[in-house]
Amino acid sequence: MAKAIVNGSRSKGTINRNIYGHFAEHLGRCIYNGIYVGEDSAIPNVNGMRTDVVEALKKMGIPLLRWPGGCFADTYHWRDGIGPRESRKRIVNTNWGGVTEDNSFGTHEFLELCAQLGCEPYISGNVGSGTVQEFSDWVEYCNMGGQSPMSQERRQNGREEPWNVKYWGIGNEAWGCGGNMRPEFYGDLCRQYSTYLRNYDSGRPIYKIASGASEGDYNWTKVVMERAGRFIDAVSMHYYTRPRTKRWEDKGPATGFTREEYYSTLHNTLFMEELVENHSRIIKEYQGDRKVGLCVDEWGTWFDVEPGTNPGFLYQQNTMRDALVAAINLNIFNSHCDTVVMANIAQAVNVLQAVLLTEGDKLVLTPTYHVFEMYKGHQGSRQLESYVETSLIGGSECPVPDLHISASQGEDGAVLVTIANLSDTESADLDCAVTGAGRFSEISGRTLTGETGAYNDFDATDRVKPAPLAAELTGGGFKAKLPACSVTAFTLR
Ligand code: AHR
């Protein structure tokens, strides 16, 4: 019997809704076909946005969407994507497959998408190959309500009111595809750019996010914070999970993987906690009397592309292994909600650890989708301290704890406990005490479970989906049996 405790009298604060954010890049079939099909498509759409995709993302509770990249952001010139579609520039997407980008999805379309989704837009500006003026004009174009050259141009393009976009990224992966910069150089550039990203008259100050480190590059965070910490609201960090493989070039298949690949993927996922703690510590050290947040604005699994697909499109299937990766990461972000202010899984549709896959007019909800949907009650709730007794499993090379937990309490008093059973073979009897959070008369459980490699496909869309799980209130908490390889959400009222 594994003992767990949820302690309602200790909390690190509110879980920022933006921890449940998503990312959509001009990459492969994420934007085009995945989200945007154009008004003339036979696929049902509203103003060009796929109705099925918009509805699914809304149901999942998407709070925020990051766009247009990724690496694409530092080659993107936003003026190419405004004005009449037929006269928009056709460019080459040099990062992702060298395909033609016709710019039919630009600023107006992205902000229309976010309006349909009811989510916050987060725009990554071009620092690598753009100019300060270009970026500054983009903010003015989106946010200026009164008279100005940019607001006039926006009106000419059919939009009267400003969108008041709050979240702006100052470049992306400036250490790599965003310009191969040194942190010293980027830190200075970041100060310069941030000076000209202005607040306009909306009364809603913009939130500036510096391009952050790759994984454990702590020196990057230190130098950027030293130089630019006073000028920004948050620093980002990117970490992708892959299994341990013999050659670095191989990331292993997304389906049909070995047991060793399963456990090494989960083992590597757990590294996120160390990254979050270490980057947060550095940020705190240099933030002075301001509060600078950590945005994990790209995370997720990165496997070999599906055989026969364009290697530049990063299309991969999504299994129960991905569901566990999502559950572990979200539990980590919840439990560090005092410093993690945003996290965006890569990417929303048809790319990397996608929550949705499309093929023509067909749609698949992946196991990762279901985890986000099951966890959505954590958004904006008060994090509660939680702990579960674990055993180490998975072998000596890549050990992982068998169970992984987080908990929160909503404004209505309901407590949500989310717990992953990482074991590929063993179910777990759980005895969870819930203290200091009130009294409960009802409990409901939902679990997502299957073989580690189970996935949904276009001809079998419901192979993996949440099902009710029996749980029993004990007076001081609850008891339940967690299936092997599962993600479970318990709600106590
Ligand atoms: O998500 C795919 C790519 O991964 C992004 O474009 C880039 O920022 C990261 O390296």
Side-chain angles (χ1 to χ4, degrees):
M1 179 77 72
K3 296 243 189 255
I5 180 156
V6 172
N7 179 3
S9 52
R10 287 199 61 182
S11 169
K12 286 189 179 163
T14 301
I15 297 173
N16 196 315
R17 283 168 55 79
N18 295 337
I19 283 180
Y20 288 78
H22 292 259
F23 170 36
E25 180 167 9
H26 287 240
L27 193 180
R29 297 185 301 113
C30 184
I31 298 288
Y32 299 111
N33 297 317
I35 292 174
Y36 183 73
V37 286
E39 288 94 337
D40 300 333
S41 171
I43 298 176
N45 68 86
V46 175
N47 298 331
M49 315 298 159
R50 286 182 73 127
T51 310
D52 54 354
V53 166
V54 168
E55 289 310 314
L57 292 176
K58 276 167 71 174
K59 188 166 177 231
M60 186 191 68
I62 183 173
L64 171 136
L65 188 61
R66 176 174 184 250
W67 172 85
C71 294
F72 183 77
D74 283 292
T75 59
Y76 185 61
H77 299 285
W78 67 273
R79 291 183 161 283
D80 294 348
I82 57 169
R85 289 213 191 98
E86 53 293 355
S87 48
R88 293 188 192 172
K89 252 189 210 165
R90 295 167 78 80
I91 60 162
V92 181
N93 189 333
T94 45
N95 282 294
W96 306 115
V99 295
T100 301
E101 161 65 59
D102 71 3
N103 278 303
S104 53
F105 188 95
T107 302
H108 289 249
E109 289 76 16
F110 172 61
L111 294 167
E112 160 68 14
L113 169 66
C114 292
Q116 288 190 24
L117 293 170
C119 78
E120 286 282 354
Y122 166 17
I123 296 182
S124 286
N126 182 345
V127 171
S129 70
T131 65
V132 179
Q133 185 67 52
E134 182 185 4
F135 198 161
S136 163
D137 285 350
W138 202 1
V139 178
E140 183 182 323
Y141 187 88
C142 292
N143 289 1
M144 177 67 182
Q147 290 300 321
S148 81
M150 289 304 114
S151 65
Q152 248 168 287
E153 196 172 345
R154 184 188 71 233
R155 289 192 186 97
Q156 278 157 14
N157 288 328
R159 172 79 187 191
E160 175 61 36
E161 295 302 320
W163 289 284
N164 296 324
V165 176
K166 177 171 171 151
Y167 298 99
W168 293 88
I170 304 177
N172 169 74
E173 297 194 349
W175 43 265
C177 63
N180 284 310
M181 299 172 195
R182 294 172 306 118
E184 291 79 7
F185 182 73
Y186 173 75
D188 287 343
L189 263 190
C190 183
R191 295 166 71 112
Q192 185 193 6
Y193 271 74
S194 97
T195 309
Y196 297 97
L197 305 183
R198 310 274 192 203
N199 286 319
Y200 291 95
D201 44 9
S202 70
R204 192 174 194 235
I206 65 170
Y207 190 91
K208 300 170 194 172
I209 301 166
S211 168
S214 170
E215 308 186 358
D217 182 356
Y218 301 118
N219 184 52
W220 181 277
T221 303
K222 174 180 173 295
V223 175
V224 169
M225 277 303 294
E226 254 171 353
R227 296 199 169 207
R230 284 191 293 130
F231 302 91
I232 53 169
D233 299 292
V235 188
S236 73
M237 188 272 285
H238 292 178
Y239 174 54
Y240 285 96
T241 308
R242 34 179 296 169
R244 189 176 285 194
T245 49
K246 291 204 178 69
R247 301 184 325 146
W248 175 250
E249 310 82 87
D250 301 326
K251 299 180 182 72
T255 59
F257 43 83
T258 63
R259 187 163 189 256
E260 194 189 338
E261 284 170 327
Y262 169 77
Y263 277 113
S264 67
T265 303
L266 301 186
H267 176 87
N268 291 346
T269 301
L270 288 154
F271 181 48
M272 181 64 91
E273 182 143 41
E274 185 176 326
L275 289 172
V276 162
E277 285 173 356
N278 289 342
H279 285 290
S280 298
R281 194 171 311 118
I282 296 165
I283 290 171
K284 269 192 190 153
E285 200 178 321
Y286 290 93
Q287 70 185 359
D289 52 9
R290 304 180 61 245
K291 173 118 174 81
V292 176
L294 176 67
C295 295
V296 186
D297 63 14
E298 286 183 30
W299 67 269
T301 56
W302 195 319
F303 302 124
D304 293 340
V305 298
E306 291 304 313
T309 64
N310 186 330
F313 282 13
L314 309 185
Y315 177 73
Q316 66 191 39
Q317 249 298 353
N318 194 293
T319 66
M320 271 307 298
R321 174 176 61 166
D322 293 83
L324 286 161
V325 170
I328 293 168
N329 276 307
L330 293 172
N331 283 340
I332 292 172
F333 301 146
N334 287 342
S335 303
H336 292 81
C337 66
D338 51 338
T339 55
V340 180
V341 292
M342 181 194 290
N344 306 315
I345 188 170
Q347 299 195 6
V349 190
N350 292 332
V351 170
L352 299 174
Q353 192 178 349
V355 290
L356 300 175
L357 302 176
T358 68
E359 200 174 83
D361 62 355
K362 295 193 189 128
L363 177 74
V364 161
L365 312 182
T366 65
T368 300
Y369 174 95
H370 292 301
V371 173
F372 272 82
E373 191 277 320
M374 291 164 68
Y375 274 54
K376 73 180 169 189
H378 284 309
Q379 292 184 29
S381 292
R382 179 174 167 266
Q383 179 264 357
L384 304 182
E385 181 181 71
S386 58
Y387 171 79
V388 62
E389 266 179 0
T390 60
S391 311
L392 280 183
I393 56 169
S396 56
E397 291 280 298
C398 289
V400 298
D402 54 349
L403 301 172
H404 200 267
I405 191 171
S406 72
S408 70
Q409 185 162 34
E411 275 180 2
D412 60 356
V415 167
L416 176 62
V417 182
T418 48
I419 182 156
N421 180 358
L422 282 55
S423 169
D424 59 340
T425 50
E426 303 301 315
S427 60
D429 289 312
L430 179 73
D431 181 358
C432 182
V434 181
T435 63
R439 296 182 67 79
F440 304 97
S441 55
E442 274 175 43
I443 182 163
S444 61
R446 282 169 82 211
T447 195
L448 187 75
T449 183
E451 297 286 319
T452 58
Y455 61 95
N456 293 328
D457 214 343
F458 297 99
D459 54 5
T461 52
D462 279 344
R463 259 195 304 238
V464 185
K465 64 172 183 187
L469 185 82
E472 177 202 337
L473 281 176
T474 53
F478 67 95
K479 282 186 178 169
K481 192 181 196 72
L482 306 171
C485 188
S486 66
V487 179
T488 305
F490 297 101
T491 306
L492 292 91
R493 291 180 199 282

